[in-house]
Amino acid sequence: MPMEHVIVGAGPAGITAAETLREIDPTARVRVIGDEPEPPYSRMAIPYFLMARIGEQGTHLRVEPDHFAKRGIEIVHGRVEGVDTTRRLLRLGDGSELGYDRLLIATGSSPVRPPISGLDLPGVLSCWTLEDAREIHRRAVAGSRVALIGAGFIGSIVLEAMAIRGCSLTVIERGERLVPRMMGPEAGELIRRWCESRGVQVHTGASVEAIERAGSSLRVKLGDGDTVDAEVVISAIGVRPNVGFLAGSGVDIDLGIRVDRRFRSSAADIYAAGDVAQGLDFSTGEDAVHAIQPTATDHGHVAALNMAGQEAEYEGSINMNVLDTLGLISCSFGLWMGRDGGESATLYQPDDYRYLSLQFADDRLIGAHAVGMTQHVGVLRGLIQRRTPLGEWQPRLLRDPTRIMEAYLATTQVI
């Protein structure tokens, strides 16, 4: 009998896994269950749709309409409500059941809903699904007032999309700086100044108390008593893994589904990948959830290898973000905030919007973040992921971190 592989989740992790399984085992049955009435698509492409750089089809993970049919991959539109690990069955929202031999959970994440009154008012939206994007596209036209709650990584991508659409934009961030989980104080302040110089109003250290109807508009009430009026309010406060449907299944869950280096969960023949998986962190050696698309794609590939019996081990995901904020590029990799007992080197040129911070453990680069220095993006990631011994270059970089390219070439050349 052919193997029955079922994948719950039609995002990058699930689709990569399905295609990998099909390549390895042409005889297996491969089914992908997605709970949206859309072809599989990339959430990270949605802002580009809002910027009018791509159409809806440009968000699709695979462009050809018959891509999956030609490969014998079945796309099922439905919502999984529960998993019976004893009977190896999925319970779907329409009352039907679906059996599996091996199951991959790649259900991704969903926007956090903070305890703020008014989140359900018309005009208060998330920017997470294609349907969200269609509604934002309709409401957030040039000249309309938009209040964006949250300026983390996702919020900052939405920020750029709204500014490019010509909206009158106000950003409200609870943290003391923009993108606080990927940038330190100096770097975050540079991004703030850059946004403000381009007409974006920014409130940091600002909590949202409530959202109210104010005539034909909305009013966002802040903790300091200030208010922001807008036609559209977008909540981008963060995301959390979609694990609710696993209640009572026996699958071990912390923040996400705990997995080993082969993406196996605690339940037999159940794997997890992508935003929903809590697995090995490359930098710390501990378990973590890294909700970024490159990690999801890597997870899906390695998980599929193991589902097909190839016993591949994952080296761990690295915390990494590259962000374009109205033309100012910033990035962070690994332990960008440093480690106790480690050394660091910093370049700070605020007038030129340039910042570079390198973090070391002994003679290895373990983390970095930068603003306005795009030439270093690949080099920083490469040195961290390779755990490259820098030797005599480590003290040189402490004196002058801009020599990072020289250090990379000197320490990674194959003789």
Side-chain angles (χ1 to χ4, degrees), residues 233-288:
V233 176
I234 300 175
S235 176
I237 296 175
V239 298
R240 60 166 54 99
N242 291 323
V243 295
F245 71 100
L246 291 170
S249 68
V251 175
D252 187 15
I253 297 169
D254 182 26
L255 176 61
I257 300 169
R258 291 188 180 276
V259 294
D260 64 13
R261 292 182 62 181
R262 296 178 183 174
F263 295 98
R264 297 175 296 195
S265 76
S266 61
D269 294 320
I270 296 181
Y271 299 72
D275 293 10
V276 78
Q278 183 173 330
L280 180 65
D281 183 308
F282 174 89
S283 298
T284 67
E286 300 175 354
D287 288 347

Side-chain angles (χ1 to χ4, degrees), residues 135-204:
E135 186 68 5
I136 292 170
H137 191 278
R138 186 177 71 83
R139 290 176 177 267
V141 297
S144 60
R145 295 171 299 173
V146 175
L148 173 63
I149 305 173
F153 182 75
I154 294 171
S156 294
I157 297 174
V158 177
L159 181 160
E160 181 177 43
M162 294 300 97
I164 288 175
R165 288 182 69 79
C167 299
S168 176
L169 179 62
T170 300
V171 176
I172 304 161
E173 166 56 44
R174 188 180 185 91
E176 296 301 322
R177 59 187 181 273
L178 299 189
V179 281
R181 294 186 180 180
M182 75 174 267
M183 289 286 141
E186 295 90 350
E189 180 59 23
L190 288 184
I191 298 172
R192 172 184 179 144
R193 283 180 42 218
W194 180 270
C195 291
E196 290 178 333
S197 73
R198 281 146 180 79
V200 179
Q201 301 295 312
V202 180
H203 296 260
T204 53

Side-chain angles (χ1 to χ4, degrees), residues 7-19:
I7 299 166
V8 185
I15 294 305
T16 298
E19 293 175 341

Side-chain angles (χ1 to χ4, degrees), residues 58 175-176 191 232 234 239 278 307 322 374 387 402 411:
E176 296 301 322
I191 298 172
V232 179
I234 300 175
V239 298
Q278 183 173 330
M307 291 171 72
V322 179
T374 58
R387 294 192 171 99
T402 65
T411 57

Side-chain angles (χ1 to χ4, degrees), residues 261-335:
R261 292 182 62 181
R262 296 178 183 174
F263 295 98
R264 297 175 296 195
S265 76
S266 61
D269 294 320
I270 296 181
Y271 299 72
D275 293 10
V276 78
Q278 183 173 330
L280 180 65
D281 183 308
F282 174 89
S283 298
T284 67
E286 300 175 354
D287 288 347
V289 174
H290 286 163
I292 53 178
Q293 184 163 316
T295 293
T297 301
D298 290 344
H299 280 194
H301 177 71
V302 179
L305 295 178
N306 285 288
M307 291 171 72
Q310 294 200 4
E311 299 188 351
E313 290 198 339
Y314 187 55
E315 293 301 314
S317 59
I318 183 169
N319 185 25
M320 58 180 180
N321 293 288
V322 179
L323 186 63
D324 183 346
T325 308
L326 301 174
L328 183 66
I329 308 297
S330 56
C331 66
S332 67
F333 299 101
L335 299 176

